[in-house]
Amino acid sequence: MSTKQKRFFLTEDQIPTQWYNIQADMVNKPMPPLNPQTKQPLKPEDLYPIFAKELCHQELDQKNAWIDIPEEVRDMYKYYRSTPLVRAYGLEKALGTPAHIYFKNESVSPVGSHKLNSALPQAYYCKEEGVTNITTETGAGQWGCALSYAAKVFGLEAAVYQVKISYNQKPYRRSIMQTYGAQVTPSPSMSTKAGKKILTEDPNNQGSLGTAISEAIELAVSTPNCKYTLGSVLSHVTLHQTIIGLEAEKQMEMAGEYPDIVIGCFGGGSNFGGISFPFMRHNILEGKKTRFIAAEPASCPKLTQGVFQYDFGDVAGYTPLLPMYTLGHNFMPANIHAGGLRYHGAGVIVSQLLKDGLMEATDIKQTESFKAGTLFAKAEGIIPAPESCHAIAAAINEANKCKETGEEKVILFNLSGHGLIDMSAYDQYLSGSLLDFEITEEDVKRNIAELEKVIK
Ligand SMILES: *Cc1c(COP(=O)(O)O)cnc(C)c1O
């Protein structure tokens, strides 16, 4: 094996045929989601009105470690998978680090991010049970784009509620969704009761993810043959994303290395879990000592400053109660460019893993993230998504520690998406007008105190 190989690919027949469900191997299983009225543990059937049945079962499956990827989904994965595992020689040189840095490049998917890995199976399972329409919400638009394309692939109609401020500020993601044939509605809208109520009280409301979720769920439950889909946070979404780490495991083997550190940026946990869990299984089952680091924004630090407790997944309180690290569902994150990381809570699996010390978290300021992303762009040529810049910053921090100690650690991070549609954010960074939003301990305490009241 040449020591100079830059990129590692799998042939189509080497692409994994199963996803990995870490819940089956966890010693302490995640606590169950609760029905908010009865406080009873949720059964898969309780979720049938909202999600495709197969997804409801995947969500709560704590027994089966391996789940077959349907053939139709595997055929679609071939449109862009395997994604390359890349040795970041350029970045290593720029840092002067003895560390070996690798990244998994999920930005090569047709929609530019890892989100398609879950959009395809979600649309497929809906199609399989006779659903004709799917709906969702999107902020910056990465998930909306992935879902719009997946819906087209499987012959479904997609209705996307996009947070109004993003609908107006990120016109290209809206155009992408419309190009794939989706119907995109700025939220809040007059098309739902939830939207009407908000607009009647405040005609200039610019929307939020919480409001858009409420509108999408309302449409799904009030329309025949229509299901709701979600692009992060839930356990079935992270399950689908394990295709990233399963491929990386084989590709690292081709490179003749095994990671000492695995890093992903963290919104709800799906790309972090996707790259980490297949490697974490060797920590759990064979006592390997790989470190797993989730990189979250300093302005939305649920893992580093939040509390572990039951909370709602949305602002309106429509979802089940989830046991998670949270800043409180009323927490309103600052308007950072990494829109995909602006979420108050963490998925139930990663929350349990963090509580049990199987992973770590670090927080990254907005300016630090863009500094890292710009360095990466110059060294490797790829302009990273603002979200992915957080993973790069954390990888650089670890590589710089190796420079001090002289250790040749193997660092693997996930490049969750490219930033070519986020150049206005880079413009702000380059002109020096990008802001850091930090939250104070008092902010956090106040939100969490509110949370105690709501849960009781
Ligand atoms: C949505 C998104 C994220 C954050 O979501 P996770 O579920 O935490 O992975 C990260 N990066 C990109 C490019 C995204 O679109």
Side-chain angles (χ1 to χ4, degrees), residues 35-54:
N35 178 315
Q37 273 87 47
T38 63
K39 304 280 192 306
Q40 290 303 302
L42 228 55
K43 293 188 281 299
E45 302 80 72
D46 299 330
L47 296 169
Y48 284 179
I50 301 176
F51 299 107
K53 291 193 179 83
E54 184 62 31

Side-chain angles (χ1 to χ4, degrees), residues 175-207:
S175 319
I176 294 170
M177 291 185 261
Q178 289 168 335
T179 300
Y180 291 133
Q183 184 199 321
V184 187
T185 307
S187 167
S189 75
M190 294 300 279
S191 70
T192 63
K193 279 188 216 145
K196 257 185 213 152
K197 180 166 182 284
I198 291 166
L199 284 178
T200 311
E201 286 163 14
D202 174 13
N204 289 320
N205 191 294
Q206 291 300 298

Side-chain angles (χ1 to χ4, degrees), residues 76-343:
M76 286 313 301
Y77 275 174
K78 288 178 191 164
Y79 278 56
Y80 62 103
R81 309 205 71 85
S82 65
T83 63
L85 174 81
V86 186
R87 174 82 185 262
Y89 289 116
L91 182 61
E92 290 172 19
K93 194 169 162 217
L95 296 172
T97 177
H100 295 189
I101 307 176
Y102 291 83
F103 64 92
K104 183 76 166 147
N105 186 2
E106 291 296 306
S107 82
V108 302
S109 96
V111 298
S113 80
H114 68 288
K115 294 277 193 333
L116 194 56
N117 299 333
S118 185
L120 287 167
Q122 290 194 47
Y124 167 77
Y125 289 122
C126 286
K127 176 72 181 177
E128 270 299 286
E129 68 172 70
V131 166
T132 55
N133 293 59
I134 50 179
T135 179
T136 196
E137 76 290 328
T138 198
Q142 294 271 28
W143 170 244
C145 290
L147 192 80
S148 300
Y149 174 54
K152 186 45 65 191
V153 164
F154 290 110
L156 302 168
E157 297 293 329
V160 181
Y161 287 95
Q162 185 172 21
V163 177
K164 192 174 279 175
I165 190 160
S166 308
Y167 182 90
N168 293 320
Q169 282 180 354
K170 306 238 173 193
Y172 293 127
R173 288 250 165 67
R174 181 205 345 122
S175 319
I176 294 170
M177 291 185 261
Q178 289 168 335
T179 300
Y180 291 133
Q183 184 199 321
V184 187
T185 307
S187 167
S189 75
M190 294 300 279
S191 70
T192 63
K193 279 188 216 145
K196 257 185 213 152
K197 180 166 182 284
I198 291 166
L199 284 178
T200 311
E201 286 163 14
D202 174 13
N204 289 320
N205 191 294
Q206 291 300 298
S208 71
L209 266 183
T211 306
I213 292 177
S214 309
E215 289 206 274
I217 293 182
E218 188 182 320
L219 184 72
V221 298
S222 62
T223 311
N225 287 321
C226 181
K227 296 286 175 198
Y228 170 69
T229 63
L230 195 61
S232 181
V233 186
L234 294 175
S235 301
H236 67 261
V237 182
T238 307
L239 171 75
H240 305 150
Q241 295 296 352
T242 59
I243 189 75
I244 303 172
L246 292 166
E247 282 184 2
E249 200 185 338
K250 292 188 181 188
Q251 290 164 307
M252 289 297 298
E253 217 173 289
M254 292 165 78
E257 306 222 65
Y258 190 87
D260 298 303
I261 303 173
V262 178
I263 298 170
C265 66
F266 197 99
S270 79
N271 92 88
F272 168 79
I275 192 154
S276 297
F277 293 173
F279 293 101
M280 201 181 284
R281 123 176 162 263
H282 300 298
N283 279 32
I284 297 173
L285 302 177
E286 296 143 35
K288 282 230 193 260
K289 296 273 184 273
T290 300
R291 290 171 58 208
F292 301 91
I293 306 175
E296 64 180 4
S299 58
C300 192
K302 59 250 179 186
L303 299 176
T304 52
Q305 292 188 49
V307 287
F308 179 84
Q309 83 166 69
Y310 276 99
D311 191 10
F312 290 108
D314 67 327
V315 182
Y318 285 178
T319 70
L321 288 168
L322 303 168
M324 60 183 185
Y325 276 93
T326 176
L327 292 162
H329 62 277
N330 288 321
F331 179 81
M332 195 36 96
N335 199 13
I336 53 170
H337 289 286
L341 308 185
R342 292 180 69 232
Y343 184 69

